[in-house]
Amino acid sequence: MPIVERQPTVRFSARNTEERVRILENIAATMPRSFSANRACGPLDEAEAEMEHKTIHFMRHGQGEHNVAQARWQSESRPGVPYSWPDNDPDMLYLDAVLSDKGVEEAAQAHAHLVSLEPQPQLLVCSTMRRATMTCLSAWQHLVGRVDLLAHEGCHEMGGKHTCDKRLDLDQLKHTFPQVDYSLVVSEEDPLWSTERESWDHLAQRALGFMKWLMDRPEKVIAVTCHGSFLITLFIVVLGFPASVEQAFHTAEIRSVHVLDSAAERARRVAILVGLFNRMDQDKNGKLSLEELRSVYGHDAQEAMESCDADGDGFVTPEEWAGFILDKMPCEAYQLCVDSVEEALSNAGQ
């Protein structure tokens, strides 16, 4: 069944979210785009289906005890947050905050939907923080022990300053969650903990690195359970979703997306086109003359030359030819072009 998105529970305040969105929009404008994504509300279109892609089910943890404390704090019009160290939480009462009773219920309710979700994940990934791990173990309980469940520091919540976002030491986590594979976690103590809050720029770079790791995995369907600030950063900066407050996740909200590896797919297509170019290049001088183009394009050779010859020197280089096909022609025309050139070369015995 397609995913049914959860009803709102806890979300960032509107004012804070708007501020975050503005920051993330500015960061996104400066970062190269390696991935594109769309909500998995149905099958990929034909052009997208040909591209290297994964289906990823992203989930924010259920309501945490720190979320409850923050709501109470705000209702009393108190400044700051209750888990700020050392000013409001010197004893670290909210250290690596766990789920509230409502959060436990939210995770269990999510399982009722996820058990019949298609496609089912081939890999479970969770943040190293307790509330995300607890949510993952409950919401995906039918897969625990059947597929790998990896903890990953890369999807840790924004670190530093807030005690709720300081994870337990690694030995404690291993003892608490024996079902989880912590082999990717190398630091005994939380590497993101400091007296200063992690910057949004650093979080964005971390989200990009995490996304690259996901795309390098062999599994085609992956479930990730993590955190609000991390997810809004990933969706706006890394995946290129519109910068809006709607990108903020509610607690226990699940969003399924198809993620396309734009960079890897382009490199694959360039390699195919260069291979065809080399077959067209009969004198092997690294460029195509009008006569060589005519062997493939026939009467359309002159038009092909004018379209591809970006520097106007009367020849077409591999970069010019591949660049025209990938950047100037519609995406869906790529395969048609490859097939027609391949057919023409075979007919010409090249």
Side-chain angles (χ1 to χ4, degrees), residues 191-327:
L192 293 170
W193 177 250
S194 78
T195 58
E196 300 296 328
R197 198 73 170 135
E198 182 181 10
S199 71
W200 287 100
D201 290 277
H202 188 272
L203 180 58
Q205 290 295 334
R206 183 156 59 82
L208 176 60
F210 177 72
M211 196 67 236
K212 288 179 177 179
W213 176 80
L214 284 179
M215 296 302 287
D216 285 341
R217 293 287 309 184
E219 299 86 2
K220 293 297 185 182
V221 186
I222 301 174
V224 177
T225 310
C226 52
H227 307 272
S229 292
F230 180 86
L231 284 168
I232 193 173
T233 302
L234 183 81
F235 268 58
I236 292 176
V237 178
V238 179
L239 299 182
F241 282 96
S244 76
V245 296
E246 296 307 311
Q247 300 308 335
F249 276 61
H250 305 292
T251 52
E253 181 181 355
I254 307 119
R255 298 183 195 172
S256 299
V257 298
H258 297 309
V259 182
L260 311 176
D261 189 338
S262 306
E265 178 60 22
R266 183 180 179 89
R268 185 185 73 84
R269 293 188 177 196
V270 166
I272 291 172
L273 292 173
V274 169
L276 292 174
F277 181 96
N278 290 336
R279 291 170 61 187
M280 294 165 63
D281 182 16
Q282 299 177 45
D283 59 12
K284 305 305 178 187
N285 67 347
K287 53 188 178 182
L288 300 179
S289 65
L290 180 61
E291 200 59 36
E292 288 170 320
L293 285 173
R294 190 169 284 122
S295 68
V296 171
Y297 288 96
H299 296 302
D300 296 325
Q302 184 61 47
E303 182 181 353
M305 174 66 76
E306 293 172 358
S307 298
C308 299
D309 183 17
D311 61 8
D313 66 351
F315 294 93
V316 175
T317 65
E319 295 78 13
E320 288 174 330
W321 191 61
F324 175 76
I325 293 172
L326 296 177
D327 299 329

Side-chain angles (χ1 to χ4, degrees), residues 11 22-23 29 38 53 70 75 80 85 145 163 187 234 255 270 315-316 321:
R11 204 180 205 172
R22 283 194 294 271
I23 292 170
N38 58 38
H53 71 276
Q70 173 64 358
S75 70
W85 186 88
T163 56
S187 176
L234 183 81
R255 298 183 195 172
V270 166
F315 294 93
V316 175
W321 191 61

Side-chain angles (χ1 to χ4, degrees), residues 51-68:
M51 298 177 67
E52 184 67 25
H53 71 276
K54 294 184 187 294
T55 299
I56 305 180
H57 307 299
F58 289 104
M59 182 177 188
R60 185 186 174 195
H61 62 78
Q63 183 192 67
E65 290 185 346
H66 66 303
N67 298 129
V68 177

